[in-house]
Each structure stands twice: as C-alpha cells, then as structure tokens.
Amino acid sequence: MPVDTYEITLLVVAGLLTVVFAWQLRPGAVIRPDALRDTARRAGLAITPEVEPVLIARIRSRTRGVLVGTLIALLVSTASLIALPESPDGGIWSGLMLIVLTGLGGAVGLCVAEFRSAFVSLGDRPRVARAPTPRRADYLSTVDLWCGPVAIGVSGVALAAVAALILVDPDDALSDASIPSLWWPGFVLWIISLASAGVGRILSTRLVGRGQPAGNDMELARSDALRSWTLRALVQTPALGALCSVVVVLTSVSSAVTPSSGTGTAISVAFSIVPLVMGSVGVALLSMGSRRPPHYLTRLWPDVAAELRRGTHGVAAPVESGRP
C-alpha cells in the first residue's frame, strides 16, 4: 500500500496539537502570570485585589472550556479531512478547515463556560442587580453584529460567481482540471459557516438572557467584558469561515488554470490578489477597533468609557459605579 503523505502529515499535525492542548488541560496547570494583565488590557479595566480571585476562577474555567472545545473540534475535523478527498489547492483547504473548526470548537467551549458561570454561588454576599437587562447590541458593536451575515452573504455570491466562471470556462482555461473538485472544498466550509452562524445566534441570544452573579460593580463590569468576548467569538468565527471558503475556492481555481491561456493567467493573478486584499481589509478593521474603548463599556458603563478616553493608559480606574 503506498504511503499517503497527506494523511500522515495531517495525523502528525493533529497529534502534536492534541498533545499541546491536553498538556494545558492537566490538573496541575496554572494560569499564566500575565493572564490578568492581558485581561485588564482587553477589558479596559484595572484589576483590584478584591476581584482578582473571582477573575482568576473565571479565566481558569474559560480556558478549560476553550481547550476542551478545541480538542473535540480537532478530532472531528481531522477525521473529516481524512474521510474527504484531498483538494487541489496544495493543502490550504486542510489548514483552513482545521483553523475554522477548532475556532468554532473553542467558541462553543467559551459559551459553555459562560453558561456555567451563571450558576456560581456568591455565598452570603449580596448580589448586584441592574435594569434593564443588556441586549446583544450592548456587547457587540455594529461591525460584530453584521460581520457574520455580510461575510456569509458576500462569500455566497462569490462562490456562485466562481461556479459560473468554472462552468463557462472561457478560453478553456480550466480544461485540464476536474471542475467539481475546484468548488466543493470551499462550499463545505461555507455550509459549515452558515450553520455555525445560525447556532451561534441561538446560543448568544440565550447567553445574554442568563444571569451574571456579581457581588459588586467591579465584578459585574468584568463579567460584562468576558461575556462580550464570548459573544464576539460566536459571531466572528463563522465570518472567518465564510471568508476562508472563498480563499479555498480561489486558490483551487488559481492553481488549476492553464498557464498558456491569457484568460487563465488573468484569472490566476486576480484570484491570487483577492485573498491578500481580504486579509488587508480584515487587519484594518481589527486595528480600527483596537484603538477605541471596548464597546461593552460604551454601552453599559459610559462613565468608565469616558474616563478611558480621557486617560493615557490602556485601562481605566476600578469601577465603583457608573451603571446606567
């Protein structure tokens, strides 16, 4: 039986990743020393001694949720890639499939950890309450809310256009290629993204309706930060998968065109440039968002967001009040 280099490479990569994730799940694993500092920077809030133990417990629970979800998704995606035929894009399909599915697994793991946090007991401490109950728009910016639908819609139109181009095949640019093999890998990724967007919408809606046990405003504000990250993962990962589906199809077609054909050369160059443009736009959007106060602060803690805008540091002072 001939050695299948593709399957061996896939199993080796999956095996190494499994060992890494499993090692991080060991009972004696500790939170990284800079985990609290990173959390403070992303949340835009300073860490105080009072909230530190609660936050460490939440970080530990979320980390385990991400690792378990990622491990399960890694095993599923590896088995799926071995069962499915190899794509003609030189392995890009396999890599992106692993990235998207493990990202989805990690997002679901975060969501499970967030659901579980709603049942944490505060002991004898009083519980902070607020009204009205926050909505998805309080945790997700306009870009977050629309990135999934727009990416799935645009990528669906792009896949249909590429399918039409493959069928028309001007100047026989793809005469040496198997037409179905050029389109199916990206379509599978697109279907996965579409399904995960629907599931993510259901999960995010239910998650927003869950309670947030907190003994004071500081704990509640940091709980809002963690919840916003979970919701962003649920909406952004399907968007990433949809864009990856286009990259897979464009790369497959670009690698299959006939070099001697003028039309084929134009298709190959154009389809090689588009993924770079898509990546540049994505980086620009992320860069724009990183320079603003976190969206959840602007909506739920406006006084803290205003302080953060006035300050010169990456975190605001501890939250004492500021609930609308």
Side-chain angles (χ1 to χ4, degrees), residues 105-143:
V108 173
L110 268 181
C111 192
V112 171
E114 194 69 27
F115 273 115
R116 293 179 60 189
S117 70
F119 299 102
V120 173
S121 174
L122 295 179
D124 297 331
R125 294 191 300 159
R127 176 169 175 166
V128 173
R130 64 178 168 193
T133 302
R135 301 173 301 156
R136 290 177 76 245
D138 293 322
Y139 295 107
L140 299 173
S141 67
T142 302
V143 174

PDB file of all heavy atoms in Angstrom, residues 105-143:
ATOM      1  N   GLY A 105     -14.972  25.257  17.762  1.00  0.00           N
ATOM      2  CA  GLY A 105     -14.982  24.455  18.985  1.00  0.00           C
ATOM      3  C   GLY A 105     -14.603  25.270  20.203  1.00  0.00           C
ATOM      4  O   GLY A 105     -15.230  25.157  21.268  1.00  0.00           O
ATOM      5  N   GLY A 106     -13.583  26.114  20.050  1.00  0.00           N
ATOM      6  CA  GLY A 106     -13.183  26.974  21.155  1.00  0.00           C
ATOM      7  C   GLY A 106     -14.272  27.970  21.534  1.00  0.00           C
ATOM      8  O   GLY A 106     -14.498  28.248  22.710  1.00  0.00           O
ATOM      9  N   ALA A 107     -14.980  28.518  20.521  1.00  0.00           N
ATOM     10  CA  ALA A 107     -16.061  29.461  20.790  1.00  0.00           C
ATOM     11  C   ALA A 107     -17.203  28.790  21.551  1.00  0.00           C
ATOM     12  O   ALA A 107     -17.766  29.358  22.496  1.00  0.00           O
ATOM     13  CB  ALA A 107     -16.574  30.061  19.482  1.00  0.00           C
ATOM     14  N   VAL A 108     -17.551  27.567  21.143  1.00  0.00           N
ATOM     15  CA  VAL A 108     -18.602  26.837  21.854  1.00  0.00           C
ATOM     16  C   VAL A 108     -18.154  26.508  23.281  1.00  0.00           C
ATOM     17  O   VAL A 108     -18.947  26.580  24.232  1.00  0.00           O
ATOM     18  CB  VAL A 108     -18.975  25.552  21.091  1.00  0.00           C
ATOM     19  CG1 VAL A 108     -19.941  24.699  21.907  1.00  0.00           C
ATOM     20  CG2 VAL A 108     -19.604  25.896  19.747  1.00  0.00           C
ATOM     21  N   GLY A 109     -16.875  26.146  23.434  1.00  0.00           N
ATOM     22  CA  GLY A 109     -16.355  25.882  24.778  1.00  0.00           C
ATOM     23  C   GLY A 109     -16.429  27.116  25.664  1.00  0.00           C
ATOM     24  O   GLY A 109     -16.772  27.016  26.854  1.00  0.00           O
ATOM     25  N   LEU A 110     -16.129  28.292  25.102  1.00  0.00           N
ATOM     26  CA  LEU A 110     -16.276  29.543  25.844  1.00  0.00           C
ATOM     27  C   LEU A 110     -17.727  29.754  26.264  1.00  0.00           C
ATOM     28  O   LEU A 110     -18.021  30.177  27.388  1.00  0.00           O
ATOM     29  CB  LEU A 110     -15.829  30.721  24.977  1.00  0.00           C
ATOM     30  CG  LEU A 110     -14.384  31.192  25.067  1.00  0.00           C
ATOM     31  CD1 LEU A 110     -14.181  32.382  24.136  1.00  0.00           C
ATOM     32  CD2 LEU A 110     -14.009  31.547  26.485  1.00  0.00           C
ATOM     33  N   CYS A 111     -18.634  29.464  25.337  1.00  0.00           N
ATOM     34  CA  CYS A 111     -20.057  29.655  25.609  1.00  0.00           C
ATOM     35  C   CYS A 111     -20.515  28.740  26.744  1.00  0.00           C
ATOM     36  O   CYS A 111     -21.274  29.166  27.629  1.00  0.00           O
ATOM     37  CB  CYS A 111     -20.860  29.392  24.344  1.00  0.00           C
ATOM     38  SG  CYS A 111     -22.582  29.910  24.442  1.00  0.00           S
ATOM     39  N   VAL A 112     -20.063  27.504  26.732  1.00  0.00           N
ATOM     40  CA  VAL A 112     -20.430  26.568  27.804  1.00  0.00           C
ATOM     41  C   VAL A 112     -19.906  27.072  29.149  1.00  0.00           C
ATOM     42  O   VAL A 112     -20.620  27.050  30.163  1.00  0.00           O
ATOM     43  CB  VAL A 112     -19.881  25.159  27.505  1.00  0.00           C
ATOM     44  CG1 VAL A 112     -20.065  24.236  28.704  1.00  0.00           C
ATOM     45  CG2 VAL A 112     -20.571  24.571  26.272  1.00  0.00           C
ATOM     46  N   ALA A 113     -18.664  27.550  29.162  1.00  0.00           N
ATOM     47  CA  ALA A 113     -18.102  28.091  30.401  1.00  0.00           C
ATOM     48  C   ALA A 113     -18.888  29.302  30.872  1.00  0.00           C
ATOM     49  O   ALA A 113     -19.110  29.495  32.074  1.00  0.00           O
ATOM     50  CB  ALA A 113     -16.633  28.453  30.188  1.00  0.00           C
ATOM     51  N   GLU A 114     -19.337  30.129  29.925  1.00  0.00           N
ATOM     52  CA  GLU A 114     -20.109  31.310  30.280  1.00  0.00           C
ATOM     53  C   GLU A 114     -21.478  30.919  30.848  1.00  0.00           C
ATOM     54  O   GLU A 114     -21.975  31.524  31.802  1.00  0.00           O
ATOM     55  CB  GLU A 114     -20.269  32.206  29.057  1.00  0.00           C
ATOM     56  CG  GLU A 114     -20.749  33.606  29.366  1.00  0.00           C
ATOM     57  CD  GLU A 114     -19.708  34.430  30.107  1.00  0.00           C
ATOM     58  OE1 GLU A 114     -18.497  34.163  29.953  1.00  0.00           O
ATOM     59  OE2 GLU A 114     -20.120  35.329  30.858  1.00  0.00           O
ATOM     60  N   PHE A 115     -22.101  29.906  30.257  1.00  0.00           N
ATOM     61  CA  PHE A 115     -23.374  29.413  30.793  1.00  0.00           C
ATOM     62  C   PHE A 115     -23.193  28.911  32.232  1.00  0.00           C
ATOM     63  O   PHE A 115     -24.032  29.166  33.109  1.00  0.00           O
ATOM     64  CB  PHE A 115     -23.921  28.286  29.923  1.00  0.00           C
ATOM     65  CG  PHE A 115     -24.755  28.753  28.769  1.00  0.00           C
ATOM     66  CD1 PHE A 115     -24.348  28.541  27.462  1.00  0.00           C
ATOM     67  CD2 PHE A 115     -25.955  29.402  28.981  1.00  0.00           C
ATOM     68  CE1 PHE A 115     -25.112  28.970  26.395  1.00  0.00           C
ATOM     69  CE2 PHE A 115     -26.742  29.836  27.923  1.00  0.00           C
ATOM     70  CZ  PHE A 115     -26.319  29.618  26.620  1.00  0.00           C
ATOM     71  N   ARG A 116     -22.114  28.194  32.457  1.00  0.00           N
ATOM     72  CA  ARG A 116     -21.879  27.642  33.795  1.00  0.00           C
ATOM     73  C   ARG A 116     -21.632  28.738  34.825  1.00  0.00           C
ATOM     74  O   ARG A 116     -21.987  28.586  35.997  1.00  0.00           O
ATOM     75  CB  ARG A 116     -20.686  26.688  33.755  1.00  0.00           C
ATOM     76  CG  ARG A 116     -20.914  25.426  32.947  1.00  0.00           C
ATOM     77  CD  ARG A 116     -19.672  24.552  32.935  1.00  0.00           C
ATOM     78  NE  ARG A 116     -19.294  24.142  34.271  1.00  0.00           N
ATOM     79  CZ  ARG A 116     -18.161  23.516  34.568  1.00  0.00           C
ATOM     80  NH1 ARG A 116     -17.286  23.259  33.603  1.00  0.00           N
ATOM     81  NH2 ARG A 116     -17.895  23.159  35.798  1.00  0.00           N
ATOM     82  N   SER A 117     -21.046  29.847  34.389  1.00  0.00           N
ATOM     83  CA  SER A 117     -20.758  30.925  35.339  1.00  0.00           C
ATOM     84  C   SER A 117     -22.019  31.547  35.899  1.00  0.00           C
ATOM     85  O   SER A 117     -21.989  32.187  36.958  1.00  0.00           O
ATOM     86  CB  SER A 117     -19.913  32.003  34.651  1.00  0.00           C
ATOM     87  OG  SER A 117     -20.682  32.718  33.687  1.00  0.00           O
ATOM     88  N   ALA A 118     -23.145  31.379  35.185  1.00  0.00           N
ATOM     89  CA  ALA A 118     -24.407  31.944  35.676  1.00  0.00           C
ATOM     90  C   ALA A 118     -24.908  31.235  36.925  1.00  0.00           C
ATOM     91  O   ALA A 118     -25.797  31.753  37.613  1.00  0.00           O
ATOM     92  CB  ALA A 118     -25.472  31.875  34.581  1.00  0.00           C
ATOM     93  N   PHE A 119     -24.348  30.063  37.241  1.00  0.00           N
ATOM     94  CA  PHE A 119     -24.802  29.298  38.401  1.00  0.00           C
ATOM     95  C   PHE A 119     -23.809  29.347  39.556  1.00  0.00           C
ATOM     96  O   PHE A 119     -23.945  28.609  40.529  1.00  0.00           O
ATOM     97  CB  PHE A 119     -25.045  27.839  37.997  1.00  0.00           C
ATOM     98  CG  PHE A 119     -26.087  27.674  36.942  1.00  0.00           C
ATOM     99  CD1 PHE A 119     -25.721  27.452  35.620  1.00  0.00           C
ATOM    100  CD2 PHE A 119     -27.434  27.763  37.243  1.00  0.00           C
ATOM    101  CE1 PHE A 119     -26.678  27.296  34.631  1.00  0.00           C
ATOM    102  CE2 PHE A 119     -28.402  27.622  36.265  1.00  0.00           C
ATOM    103  CZ  PHE A 119     -28.028  27.385  34.952  1.00  0.00           C
ATOM    104  N   VAL A 120     -22.792  30.207  39.436  1.00  0.00           N
ATOM    105  CA  VAL A 120     -21.807  30.329  40.509  1.00  0.00           C
ATOM    106  C   VAL A 120     -22.459  30.956  41.736  1.00  0.00           C
ATOM    107  O   VAL A 120     -23.174  31.956  41.645  1.00  0.00           O
ATOM    108  CB  VAL A 120     -20.611  31.189  40.040  1.00  0.00           C
ATOM    109  CG1 VAL A 120     -19.669  31.468  41.210  1.00  0.00           C
ATOM    110  CG2 VAL A 120     -19.860  30.485  38.925  1.00  0.00           C
ATOM    111  N   SER A 121     -22.212  30.364  42.875  1.00  0.00           N
ATOM    112  CA  SER A 121     -22.795  30.867  44.120  1.00  0.00           C
ATOM    113  C   SER A 121     -21.943  32.002  44.682  1.00  0.00           C
ATOM    114  O   SER A 121     -20.706  31.951  44.645  1.00  0.00           O
ATOM    115  CB  SER A 121     -22.901  29.735  45.147  1.00  0.00           C
ATOM    116  OG  SER A 121     -23.328  30.235  46.388  1.00  0.00           O
ATOM    117  N   LEU A 122     -22.604  33.025  45.204  1.00  0.00           N
ATOM    118  CA  LEU A 122     -21.902  34.134  45.845  1.00  0.00           C
ATOM    119  C   LEU A 122     -21.799  33.949  47.353  1.00  0.00           C
ATOM    120  O   LEU A 122     -21.314  34.834  48.061  1.00  0.00           O
ATOM    121  CB  LEU A 122     -22.628  35.451  45.542  1.00  0.00           C
ATOM    122  CG  LEU A 122     -22.648  35.903  44.083  1.00  0.00           C
ATOM    123  CD1 LEU A 122     -23.413  37.211  43.955  1.00  0.00           C
ATOM    124  CD2 LEU A 122     -21.247  36.050  43.535  1.00  0.00           C
ATOM    125  N   GLY A 123     -22.284  32.829  47.850  1.00  0.00           N
ATOM    126  CA  GLY A 123     -22.250  32.602  49.282  1.00  0.00           C
ATOM    127  C   GLY A 123     -23.197  33.534  50.015  1.00  0.00           C
ATOM    128  O   GLY A 123     -24.353  33.705  49.629  1.00  0.00           O
ATOM    129  N   ASP A 124     -22.685  34.181  51.049  1.00  0.00           N
ATOM    130  CA  ASP A 124     -23.511  35.094  51.851  1.00  0.00           C
ATOM    131  C   ASP A 124     -23.502  36.519  51.304  1.00  0.00           C
ATOM    132  O   ASP A 124     -24.162  37.404  51.857  1.00  0.00           O
ATOM    133  CB  ASP A 124     -23.021  35.112  53.316  1.00  0.00           C
ATOM    134  CG  ASP A 124     -23.167  33.746  53.979  1.00  0.00           C
ATOM    135  OD1 ASP A 124     -24.083  33.004  53.565  1.00  0.00           O
ATOM    136  OD2 ASP A 124     -22.361  33.433  54.866  1.00  0.00           O
ATOM    137  N   ARG A 125     -22.743  36.766  50.285  1.00  0.00           N
ATOM    138  CA  ARG A 125     -22.662  38.132  49.762  1.00  0.00           C
ATOM    139  C   ARG A 125     -23.934  38.510  49.013  1.00  0.00           C
ATOM    140  O   ARG A 125     -24.538  37.672  48.343  1.00  0.00           O
ATOM    141  CB  ARG A 125     -21.471  38.266  48.807  1.00  0.00           C
ATOM    142  CG  ARG A 125     -20.109  38.116  49.475  1.00  0.00           C
ATOM    143  CD  ARG A 125     -19.012  38.514  48.521  1.00  0.00           C
ATOM    144  NE  ARG A 125     -19.022  37.692  47.311  1.00  0.00           N
ATOM    145  CZ  ARG A 125     -18.467  38.055  46.154  1.00  0.00           C
ATOM    146  NH1 ARG A 125     -17.899  39.237  46.051  1.00  0.00           N
ATOM    147  NH2 ARG A 125     -18.502  37.246  45.115  1.00  0.00           N
ATOM    148  N   PRO A 126     -24.330  39.779  49.098  1.00  0.00           N
ATOM    149  CA  PRO A 126     -25.496  40.219  48.315  1.00  0.00           C
ATOM    150  C   PRO A 126     -25.146  40.243  46.819  1.00  0.00           C
ATOM    151  O   PRO A 126     -23.982  40.374  46.443  1.00  0.00           O
ATOM    152  CB  PRO A 126     -25.771  41.626  48.847  1.00  0.00           C
ATOM    153  CG  PRO A 126     -24.454  42.093  49.379  1.00  0.00           C
ATOM    154  CD  PRO A 126     -23.781  40.855  49.925  1.00  0.00           C
ATOM    155  N   ARG A 127     -26.166  40.115  46.007  1.00  0.00           N
ATOM    156  CA  ARG A 127     -25.964  40.073  44.567  1.00  0.00           C
ATOM    157  C   ARG A 127     -26.383  41.401  43.945  1.00  0.00           C
ATOM    158  O   ARG A 127     -27.471  41.907  44.219  1.00  0.00           O
ATOM    159  CB  ARG A 127     -26.786  38.934  43.962  1.00  0.00           C
ATOM    160  CG  ARG A 127     -26.725  38.858  42.450  1.00  0.00           C
ATOM    161  CD  ARG A 127     -27.338  37.571  41.969  1.00  0.00           C
ATOM    162  NE  ARG A 127     -27.405  37.503  40.510  1.00  0.00           N
ATOM    163  CZ  ARG A 127     -27.651  36.403  39.827  1.00  0.00           C
ATOM    164  NH1 ARG A 127     -27.862  35.280  40.468  1.00  0.00           N
ATOM    165  NH2 ARG A 127     -27.712  36.427  38.521  1.00  0.00           N
ATOM    166  N   VAL A 128     -25.501  41.961  43.100  1.00  0.00           N
ATOM    167  CA  VAL A 128     -25.792  43.213  42.407  1.00  0.00           C
ATOM    168  C   VAL A 128     -26.802  42.941  41.302  1.00  0.00           C
ATOM    169  O   VAL A 128     -26.673  41.976  40.549  1.00  0.00           O
ATOM    170  CB  VAL A 128     -24.506  43.825  41.819  1.00  0.00           C
ATOM    171  CG1 VAL A 128     -24.840  45.039  40.957  1.00  0.00           C
ATOM    172  CG2 VAL A 128     -23.558  44.224  42.938  1.00  0.00           C
ATOM    173  N   ALA A 129     -27.799  43.786  41.200  1.00  0.00           N
ATOM    174  CA  ALA A 129     -28.804  43.670  40.142  1.00  0.00           C
ATOM    175  C   ALA A 129     -28.851  44.964  39.348  1.00  0.00           C
ATOM    176  O   ALA A 129     -28.487  46.029  39.847  1.00  0.00           O
ATOM    177  CB  ALA A 129     -30.177  43.369  40.737  1.00  0.00           C
ATOM    178  N   ARG A 130     -29.279  44.864  38.109  1.00  0.00           N
ATOM    179  CA  ARG A 130     -29.415  46.066  37.293  1.00  0.00           C
ATOM    180  C   ARG A 130     -30.593  45.896  36.348  1.00  0.00           C
ATOM    181  O   ARG A 130     -31.019  44.786  36.037  1.00  0.00           O
ATOM    182  CB  ARG A 130     -28.149  46.336  36.471  1.00  0.00           C
ATOM    183  CG  ARG A 130     -27.851  45.265  35.437  1.00  0.00           C
ATOM    184  CD  ARG A 130     -26.626  45.644  34.648  1.00  0.00           C
ATOM    185  NE  ARG A 130     -26.134  44.534  33.854  1.00  0.00           N
ATOM    186  CZ  ARG A 130     -24.939  44.527  33.268  1.00  0.00           C
ATOM    187  NH1 ARG A 130     -24.130  45.548  33.390  1.00  0.00           N
ATOM    188  NH2 ARG A 130     -24.557  43.479  32.566  1.00  0.00           N
ATOM    189  N   ALA A 131     -31.098  47.015  35.894  1.00  0.00           N
ATOM    190  CA  ALA A 131     -32.190  47.010  34.928  1.00  0.00           C
ATOM    191  C   ALA A 131     -31.952  48.171  33.958  1.00  0.00           C
ATOM    192  O   ALA A 131     -31.440  49.226  34.352  1.00  0.00           O
ATOM    193  CB  ALA A 131     -33.530  47.169  35.638  1.00  0.00           C
ATOM    194  N   PRO A 132     -32.283  48.026  32.697  1.00  0.00           N
ATOM    195  CA  PRO A 132     -32.851  46.822  32.082  1.00  0.00           C
ATOM    196  C   PRO A 132     -31.786  45.785  31.780  1.00  0.00           C
ATOM    197  O   PRO A 132     -30.591  46.075  31.881  1.00  0.00           O
ATOM    198  CB  PRO A 132     -33.470  47.371  30.788  1.00  0.00           C
ATOM    199  CG  PRO A 132     -32.579  48.532  30.439  1.00  0.00           C
ATOM    200  CD  PRO A 132     -32.172  49.145  31.752  1.00  0.00           C
ATOM    201  N   THR A 133     -32.233  44.589  31.399  1.00  0.00           N
ATOM    202  CA  THR A 133     -31.296  43.519  31.043  1.00  0.00           C
ATOM    203  C   THR A 133     -30.566  43.885  29.751  1.00  0.00           C
ATOM    204  O   THR A 133     -31.191  44.330  28.789  1.00  0.00           O
ATOM    205  CB  THR A 133     -32.060  42.194  30.836  1.00  0.00           C
ATOM    206  OG1 THR A 133     -32.764  41.879  32.028  1.00  0.00           O
ATOM    207  CG2 THR A 133     -31.101  41.071  30.488  1.00  0.00           C
ATOM    208  N   PRO A 134     -29.241  43.735  29.718  1.00  0.00           N
ATOM    209  CA  PRO A 134     -28.500  44.052  28.489  1.00  0.00           C
ATOM    210  C   PRO A 134     -28.947  43.203  27.305  1.00  0.00           C
ATOM    211  O   PRO A 134     -29.463  42.094  27.465  1.00  0.00           O
ATOM    212  CB  PRO A 134     -27.046  43.730  28.871  1.00  0.00           C
ATOM    213  CG  PRO A 134     -27.005  43.810  30.350  1.00  0.00           C
ATOM    214  CD  PRO A 134     -28.343  43.328  30.813  1.00  0.00           C
ATOM    215  N   ARG A 135     -28.741  43.733  26.102  1.00  0.00           N
ATOM    216  CA  ARG A 135     -29.063  43.032  24.865  1.00  0.00           C
ATOM    217  C   ARG A 135     -27.774  42.696  24.128  1.00  0.00           C
ATOM    218  O   ARG A 135     -26.682  43.111  24.514  1.00  0.00           O
ATOM    219  CB  ARG A 135     -29.966  43.898  23.990  1.00  0.00           C
ATOM    220  CG  ARG A 135     -31.292  44.305  24.650  1.00  0.00           C
ATOM    221  CD  ARG A 135     -32.021  45.291  23.754  1.00  0.00           C
ATOM    222  NE  ARG A 135     -31.194  46.482  23.519  1.00  0.00           N
ATOM    223  CZ  ARG A 135     -31.331  47.278  22.454  1.00  0.00           C
ATOM    224  NH1 ARG A 135     -32.215  46.998  21.525  1.00  0.00           N
ATOM    225  NH2 ARG A 135     -30.552  48.339  22.328  1.00  0.00           N
ATOM    226  N   ARG A 136     -27.913  41.952  23.038  1.00  0.00           N
ATOM    227  CA  ARG A 136     -26.747  41.598  22.234  1.00  0.00           C
ATOM    228  C   ARG A 136     -26.021  42.842  21.747  1.00  0.00           C
ATOM    229  O   ARG A 136     -24.788  42.881  21.694  1.00  0.00           O
ATOM    230  CB  ARG A 136     -27.154  40.745  21.025  1.00  0.00           C
ATOM    231  CG  ARG A 136     -27.602  39.351  21.376  1.00  0.00           C
ATOM    232  CD  ARG A 136     -28.056  38.579  20.150  1.00  0.00           C
ATOM    233  NE  ARG A 136     -26.938  38.125  19.336  1.00  0.00           N
ATOM    234  CZ  ARG A 136     -26.696  38.540  18.102  1.00  0.00           C
ATOM    235  NH1 ARG A 136     -27.478  39.449  17.538  1.00  0.00           N
ATOM    236  NH2 ARG A 136     -25.668  38.067  17.420  1.00  0.00           N
ATOM    237  N   ALA A 137     -26.770  43.869  21.379  1.00  0.00           N
ATOM    238  CA  ALA A 137     -26.158  45.094  20.869  1.00  0.00           C
ATOM    239  C   ALA A 137     -25.342  45.829  21.919  1.00  0.00           C
ATOM    240  O   ALA A 137     -24.522  46.685  21.578  1.00  0.00           O
ATOM    241  CB  ALA A 137     -27.237  46.023  20.305  1.00  0.00           C
ATOM    242  N   ASP A 138     -25.569  45.512  23.200  1.00  0.00           N
ATOM    243  CA  ASP A 138     -24.765  46.131  24.250  1.00  0.00           C
ATOM    244  C   ASP A 138     -23.381  45.493  24.348  1.00  0.00           C
ATOM    245  O   ASP A 138     -22.452  46.111  24.883  1.00  0.00           O
ATOM    246  CB  ASP A 138     -25.479  46.005  25.601  1.00  0.00           C
ATOM    247  CG  ASP A 138     -26.757  46.822  25.659  1.00  0.00           C
ATOM    248  OD1 ASP A 138     -26.773  47.933  25.107  1.00  0.00           O
ATOM    249  OD2 ASP A 138     -27.744  46.331  26.239  1.00  0.00           O
ATOM    250  N   TYR A 139     -23.256  44.289  23.877  1.00  0.00           N
ATOM    251  CA  TYR A 139     -21.975  43.587  23.931  1.00  0.00           C
ATOM    252  C   TYR A 139     -21.265  43.546  22.580  1.00  0.00           C
ATOM    253  O   TYR A 139     -20.047  43.374  22.519  1.00  0.00           O
ATOM    254  CB  TYR A 139     -22.187  42.149  24.409  1.00  0.00           C
ATOM    255  CG  TYR A 139     -22.690  42.038  25.820  1.00  0.00           C
ATOM    256  CD1 TYR A 139     -24.003  41.675  26.095  1.00  0.00           C
ATOM    257  CD2 TYR A 139     -21.846  42.289  26.896  1.00  0.00           C
ATOM    258  CE1 TYR A 139     -24.465  41.571  27.401  1.00  0.00           C
ATOM    259  CE2 TYR A 139     -22.293  42.182  28.201  1.00  0.00           C
ATOM    260  CZ  TYR A 139     -23.611  41.823  28.449  1.00  0.00           C
ATOM    261  OH  TYR A 139     -24.059  41.730  29.747  1.00  0.00           O
ATOM    262  N   LEU A 140     -22.029  43.661  21.505  1.00  0.00           N
ATOM    263  CA  LEU A 140     -21.464  43.529  20.163  1.00  0.00           C
ATOM    264  C   LEU A 140     -21.609  44.842  19.411  1.00  0.00           C
ATOM    265  O   LEU A 140     -22.702  45.412  19.344  1.00  0.00           O
ATOM    266  CB  LEU A 140     -22.181  42.413  19.390  1.00  0.00           C
ATOM    267  CG  LEU A 140     -22.094  41.010  20.003  1.00  0.00           C
ATOM    268  CD1 LEU A 140     -22.993  40.051  19.232  1.00  0.00           C
ATOM    269  CD2 LEU A 140     -20.649  40.515  19.994  1.00  0.00           C
ATOM    270  N   SER A 141     -20.519  45.314  18.829  1.00  0.00           N
ATOM    271  CA  SER A 141     -20.566  46.532  18.028  1.00  0.00           C
ATOM    272  C   SER A 141     -21.297  46.265  16.716  1.00  0.00           C
ATOM    273  O   SER A 141     -21.633  45.119  16.386  1.00  0.00           O
ATOM    274  CB  SER A 141     -19.146  47.020  17.749  1.00  0.00           C
ATOM    275  OG  SER A 141     -18.467  46.093  16.912  1.00  0.00           O
ATOM    276  N   THR A 142     -21.513  47.327  15.959  1.00  0.00           N
ATOM    277  CA  THR A 142     -22.169  47.174  14.658  1.00  0.00           C
ATOM    278  C   THR A 142     -21.373  46.255  13.743  1.00  0.00           C
ATOM    279  O   THR A 142     -21.940  45.418  13.030  1.00  0.00           O
ATOM    280  CB  THR A 142     -22.346  48.549  13.996  1.00  0.00           C
ATOM    281  OG1 THR A 142     -23.122  49.396  14.865  1.00  0.00           O
ATOM    282  CG2 THR A 142     -23.069  48.426  12.667  1.00  0.00           C
ATOM    283  N   VAL A 143     -20.058  46.397  13.775  1.00  0.00           N
ATOM    284  CA  VAL A 143     -19.207  45.518  12.961  1.00  0.00           C
ATOM    285  C   VAL A 143     -19.363  44.069  13.388  1.00  0.00           C
ATOM    286  O   VAL A 143     -19.470  43.164  12.555  1.00  0.00           O
ATOM    287  CB  VAL A 143     -17.728  45.962  13.054  1.00  0.00           C
ATOM    288  CG1 VAL A 143     -16.819  44.963  12.340  1.00  0.00           C
ATOM    289  CG2 VAL A 143     -17.547  47.350  12.469  1.00  0.00           C
TER     290      VAL A 143
END
